[in-house]
Amino acid sequence: MPYSEPAHMPHLSLHDSQRRATVPFTPLDPEHVKVYYCGPTVYDLAHIGNLRAMLTADVLVRLLRHLFPRVTFVRNITDVDDKITARARANGEDIATLTERTTQEFHADLAAMNVLPPDIEPRATHNIAEMQDLIARLIENGHAYAADGHVLFSVASFPSYGALSGRDPEELVAGARVEVATYKKDPGDFVLWKPSDTDQPGWDSPWGRGRPGWHIECSAMSHRYLGESFDIHGGGSDLLFPHHENERAQSLCCFPQGKFANYWVHNAMLLVEGEKMSKSLGNFLTIRDVLAQAPAEALRLLLLGAHYRSTLNYTLAGLQEARKTLDRFYRALAAGPVPDTDVPEGVMKALADDLNTPMAIAELHALAGQALAGDRAAAGALKAGAGMLGLLQEDPEKWFKGEASEEDAAIEALIADRLAAKKARDFAKADALRDQLQAQGIVLEDNKDGTSWRRA
Ligand SMILES: [Zn+2]
């Protein structure tokens, strides 16, 4: 059946962590949807686990922009944190140099991944006054107390503490992982403000020179840019507790008339070759590590190939597979004219169903098949549908040229290795490299200027 235009827009449903169900999404103001995501703590290169959260947000925001007239997407930068202080000290550089460089690297990596920038990207250090306002308000409302240069949130003062993550506060207090300190009334109480030594970053405050706790940063920045109530708060599932639970407690105790976030969206974690990514296992992959091996678009397709709420297993084989899929999609686009088309209904339906990206990609496969069979309307639909996922927006010629030039670079590297082996009189290695190139269909021609090559 030839491809035909979509008939109507499906209704969006999202899995809300707090309601623990997939529910229809109804914005507080249908004219203006507001989204907040926790951004990076800028002390090191972003890894592919960080990327998964940023990509989930990107697909969500692209979809919201398609469905609603206006979307404001805020994603912060955490540029004050003890990890930053420690890293700057270890590197022998000042904090501002480290956070500025890391922020630029983060932006460059996300741009390479075709992740659209947020509308507002507040930095924690530019919002210290807002954090102090919120802390003062919490003390006034009886939800926080100052002790020993610290200000702590009193968990017992907020009966719905634990409602977001589904944890029982009693169990939290009994848990051994909670830091016990003499200045805490209750071991579950968490830090809003802490004192700084002279060699730590600090700001003057009514409670002495100090710095904010991490959780209050997001409460302050979301309030400043989105107000007491906004639509969606998102992040990785590792942030659900304690970070998001604490943000929620702070914000609702500051602004009891508000809702804070009306929906909570959390993406699942990522494995690398079946194992949890960790520096000690040696399978820790930054975005840059992967981009040295494959085009960014292949990584993007690979990550979107799993539903955001299921654990994703990153593998090198999967990355190569994604690249082959993109070869096929781009071949379908290159096979003839690509008319401008609306986003196809199958893709919209899949994405509107709690961001079902694997189903949307299955639709793209079907459209690519139709396009390769000569249906150019399907080629238009393929490009428009892929655009919702931030895919297939390159010129096909550029895609294939990029592939070819990467292959050429790999061949030239092997030829250089062979030349070096010959110079070192390691003829066995030189011959082995020649055989390897021959097996790839490469013919070498040694001459007085070096070695030239051609495809057989
Ligand atoms: Zn946050």
Side-chain angles (χ1 to χ4, degrees), residues 1 11 126 142 152 186 196 198 217 267 280 308 319 347 434:
M1 201 176 74
H11 194 92
H126 297 179
L152 292 130
D186 190 316
S196 292
T198 46
E217 294 182 5
N267 60 278
S280 59
Y308 76 95
L319 187 64
V347 170
R434 170 180 282 264

Side-chain angles (χ1 to χ4, degrees), residues 82 145 147-148 150-153 155 161 167 169 171-195 211 213-215 241-242 246:
D82 292 351
Y145 56 93
D148 215 2
H150 293 74
V151 182
L152 292 130
F153 183 91
V155 166
Y161 189 81
R167 298 201 184 196
E171 176 195 331
L172 292 173
V173 173
R177 280 172 300 161
V178 185
E179 185 200 348
V180 182
T182 49
Y183 50 80
K184 287 187 183 180
K185 285 184 186 163
D186 190 316
D189 294 351
F190 58 88
V191 166
L192 301 172
W193 189 261
K194 53 191 167 186
R211 59 197 191 283
W214 173 35
H215 316 304
F241 187 87
N246 292 356

Side-chain angles (χ1 to χ4, degrees), residues 404-448:
S405 68
E406 276 171 49
E407 253 174 56
D408 288 0
I411 289 162
E412 273 151 22
L414 285 177
I415 292 172
D417 283 354
R418 175 172 165 268
L419 212 65
K422 272 171 76 173
K423 270 194 185 141
R425 310 194 65 78
D426 185 352
F427 297 112
K429 185 177 176 189
D431 288 347
L433 287 167
R434 170 180 282 264
D435 292 347
Q436 188 185 334
L437 284 158
Q438 242 161 22
Q440 289 178 29
I442 306 300
V443 179
L444 299 181
E445 277 150 8
D446 290 319
N447 52 50
K448 63 176 173 26

Side-chain angles (χ1 to χ4, degrees), residues 36-39 76 78 214-215 217-219 221 233-234 239 243-244 247:
Y36 186 91
Y37 257 76
C38 300
N76 76 293
T78 292
W214 173 35
H215 316 304
E217 294 182 5
C218 287
S219 284
M221 289 183 271
H233 192 318
L239 298 184
H243 184 54
H244 288 164
E247 280 187 33

Side-chain angles (χ1 to χ4, degrees), residues 17-333:
S17 305
Q18 182 156 350
R19 295 178 179 93
R20 288 170 185 70
T22 303
V23 292
F25 172 72
T26 309
L28 298 168
D29 172 3
E31 296 299 310
H32 186 184
V33 177
K34 297 174 182 174
V35 182
Y36 186 91
Y37 257 76
C38 300
T41 301
V42 282
Y43 67 101
D44 208 345
L45 290 170
H47 57 72
I48 58 173
N50 305 134
L51 176 61
R52 191 176 193 201
M54 300 297 113
L55 262 184
T56 304
D58 192 52
V59 171
L60 173 62
V61 170
R62 282 172 194 262
L63 178 63
L64 292 170
R65 286 196 204 293
H66 194 81
L67 297 175
F68 298 98
R70 186 175 168 209
V71 178
T72 296
F73 172 38
V74 179
R75 189 186 68 211
N76 76 293
I77 296 275
T78 292
D79 59 353
V80 53
D81 188 279
D82 292 351
K83 286 197 282 280
I84 295 173
T85 310
R87 181 62 64 89
R89 201 170 291 167
N91 290 356
E93 63 185 336
D94 59 62
I95 287 172
T97 309
L98 173 65
T99 57
E100 193 49 47
R101 186 185 64 246
T102 311
T103 300
Q104 281 173 16
E105 288 165 342
F106 177 70
H107 287 160
D109 288 352
L110 290 201
M113 290 304 305
N114 194 23
V115 171
L116 301 175
D119 299 291
I120 306 169
E121 191 173 50
R123 293 175 191 219
T125 54
H126 297 179
N127 289 277
I128 301 291
E130 283 72 16
M131 296 172 205
Q132 292 187 352
D133 283 352
L134 259 55
I135 295 169
R137 196 185 268 259
L138 288 170
I139 294 175
E140 215 175 277
N141 293 352
H143 291 292
Y145 56 93
D148 215 2
H150 293 74
V151 182
L152 292 130
F153 183 91
S154 165
V155 166
S157 76
F158 182 52
S160 109
Y161 189 81
L164 171 61
S165 59
R167 298 201 184 196
D168 175 3
E170 293 295 316
E171 176 195 331
L172 292 173
V173 173
R177 280 172 300 161
V178 185
E179 185 200 348
V180 182
T182 49
Y183 50 80
K184 287 187 183 180
K185 285 184 186 163
D186 190 316
D189 294 351
F190 58 88
V191 166
L192 301 172
W193 189 261
K194 53 191 167 186
S196 292
D197 294 336
T198 46
D199 61 344
Q200 285 170 319
W203 290 263
D204 290 330
S205 83
W207 319 286
R209 184 179 173 276
R211 59 197 191 283
W214 173 35
H215 316 304
I216 198 71
E217 294 182 5
C218 287
S219 284
M221 289 183 271
S222 61
H223 177 255
R224 178 168 176 189
Y225 295 101
L226 298 176
E228 294 178 12
S229 307
F230 56 92
D231 294 295
I232 301 172
H233 192 318
S237 59
D238 54 333
L239 298 184
L240 182 54
F241 187 87
H243 184 54
H244 288 164
E245 190 73 59
N246 292 356
E247 280 187 33
R248 175 180 175 272
Q250 295 161 160
S251 294
L252 289 178
C253 290
C254 274
F255 309 107
Q257 306 310 317
K259 280 172 176 286
F260 191 44
N262 202 17
Y263 298 83
W264 289 87
V265 171
H266 290 99
N267 60 278
M269 295 292 97
L270 171 150
L271 302 174
V272 172
E273 306 285 351
E275 300 216 59
K276 208 175 156 187
M277 188 164 71
S278 81
K279 283 194 169 139
S280 59
L281 280 175
N283 66 352
F284 189 89
L285 290 175
T286 65
I287 297 172
R288 285 175 188 210
D289 291 335
V290 178
L291 297 194
Q293 295 180 306
E297 200 170 348
L299 176 57
R300 188 171 172 111
L301 177 63
L302 170 61
L303 293 189
L304 296 180
H307 188 260
Y308 76 95
R309 285 192 293 114
S310 40
T311 303
L312 182 142
N313 186 21
Y314 170 92
T315 63
L316 195 54
L319 187 64
Q320 283 155 355
E321 191 60 42
R323 191 173 181 162
K324 277 190 208 142
T325 299
L326 287 168
D327 281 344
R328 178 170 183 264
F329 287 175
Y330 274 114
R331 263 204 311 279
L333 294 184

